[in-house]
Amino acid sequence: MITPNLLRGLLAAAIALTTIAATQGESAESCITEHGLQDRLGSGSARIFVNGVYLRTEEGPGSGGGTFTDWLVEGENEIRIEYDGDDARFSITQGCRGAIPGDDFVDEVEFDAPGTKILTFVHDRPVDAEYLSAEIAGDAGLADAIESFQKAAVARDIDMIFALQAPMFRDAERLGYPVDSAKAFAREVLTNGTTEIAESYSIIPVLGGRVYQVLDANMQSPVRVTYKAEDGTYSWSSGSYWARFDGKWGVVAQ
């Protein structure tokens, strides 16, 4: 039986546009190099961007980490940190896939005042991701597509929502994620939840204009749905990253 908790996890896996797929036929002893970020914040908060694309916000005091899988390009990759506190350190790690990150740091920055700093690392393998095949042709028609997506969420027109999310699901299918289970979770939340539409948002071109980032002032998606079930509260959000394929706009991530 697939429980709501399991479906929630499956959705998270399916919509994360993981750009590094395991190479078939590699031996268990081979080392596939991956990079990640370790951070320690004594105060304030930090917004983290990968190649110009918003990744997440870290809140201090505290520490965290994770491996980069989204928005990578082959060659040099740039991590931008926008920090509003006065005590933080950010380190780019390097290690074998599946191993616990160690202290093999590729790049590192420290903050003793608010500001913006850049870290870099080299990803030495081809990246197979939907966003890299998107058209670069300006943002004409994007605002209308976003509005259609928002109206579909309010009307609970799930078929329209899934149609606009087609690029995202193509990525998930290529990587072997359980798209049907993710759609089942989304359908449940969208059908029964409360929908919140962003009153305003910014449209920002990233990755050389292949992708457009659509977020509100709090770096949240333009559509958010919350579903309070007997066993907990579940959330669904989407419409944050758009790209155009064959002249049609679609959601390429979240």
Side-chain angles (χ1 to χ4, degrees):
M1 177 178 179
I2 298 178
T3 65
N5 285 335
L6 176 57
L7 284 174
R8 187 180 187 186
L10 292 174
L11 175 67
I15 67 174
L17 293 181
T18 307
T19 59
I20 307 174
T23 302
Q24 295 183 353
E26 289 172 335
S27 67
E29 293 77 18
S30 65
C31 176
I32 303 173
T33 301
E34 290 189 333
H35 294 89
L37 181 69
Q38 289 186 3
D39 57 69
R40 179 195 57 76
L41 284 73
S43 64
S45 64
R47 289 179 175 179
I48 302 168
F49 299 79
V50 178
N51 294 318
V53 186
Y54 174 70
L55 181 67
R56 65 176 183 268
T57 296
E58 295 284 358
E59 300 284 348
S63 60
T67 301
F68 294 118
T69 56
D70 299 337
W71 311 118
L72 296 176
V73 297
E74 185 176 6
E76 185 170 274
N77 290 256
E78 178 183 284
I79 309 302
R80 185 173 84 247
I81 310 294
E82 297 178 355
Y83 178 55
D84 63 10
D86 58 11
D87 177 21
R89 174 184 297 153
F90 299 85
S91 307
I92 299 292
T93 63
Q94 176 175 290
C96 296
R97 175 185 291 165
I100 297 175
D103 294 330
D104 185 7
F105 296 149
V106 175
D107 200 359
E108 190 171 52
V109 294
E110 294 189 17
F111 289 86
D112 57 11
T116 298
K117 295 189 178 184
I118 302 295
L119 302 99
T120 62
F121 66 90
V122 174
H123 181 75
D124 61 2
R125 300 187 307 282
V127 176
D128 185 16
E130 197 75 10
Y131 59 85
L132 291 178
S133 63
E135 299 169 4
I136 303 177
D139 64 357
L142 176 55
D144 291 339
I146 297 169
E147 183 179 359
S148 295
F149 190 75
Q150 292 178 318
K151 287 181 177 178
V154 172
R156 305 183 194 277
D157 186 346
I158 297 170
D159 290 339
M160 172 63 77
I161 289 172
F162 287 169
L164 287 168
Q165 289 180 317
M168 182 181 77
F169 288 126
R170 288 199 297 269
D171 253 331
E173 288 173 349
R174 183 170 61 250
L175 295 170
Y177 288 130
V179 172
D180 288 343
S181 297
K183 286 183 175 180
F185 174 88
R187 187 178 296 275
E188 179 75 7
V189 175
L190 287 161
T191 300
N192 299 288
T194 300
T195 302
E196 180 181 358
I197 301 297
E199 295 182 359
S200 62
Y201 51 80
S202 298
I203 299 177
I204 300 174
V206 293
L207 293 170
R210 291 191 183 278
V211 175
Y212 282 81
Q213 179 175 281
V214 182
L215 298 172
D216 67 11
N218 296 316
M219 308 303 280
Q220 293 186 318
S221 302
V223 176
R224 301 182 292 276
V225 183
T226 302
Y227 172 39
K228 294 184 178 180
E230 292 182 359
D231 63 341
T233 300
Y234 303 96
S235 61
W236 177 95
S237 62
S238 191
S240 300
Y241 306 99
W242 293 74
R244 183 159 48 189
F245 304 88
D246 297 326
K248 296 181 180 180
W249 287 102
V251 178
V252 75
Q254 193 180 336

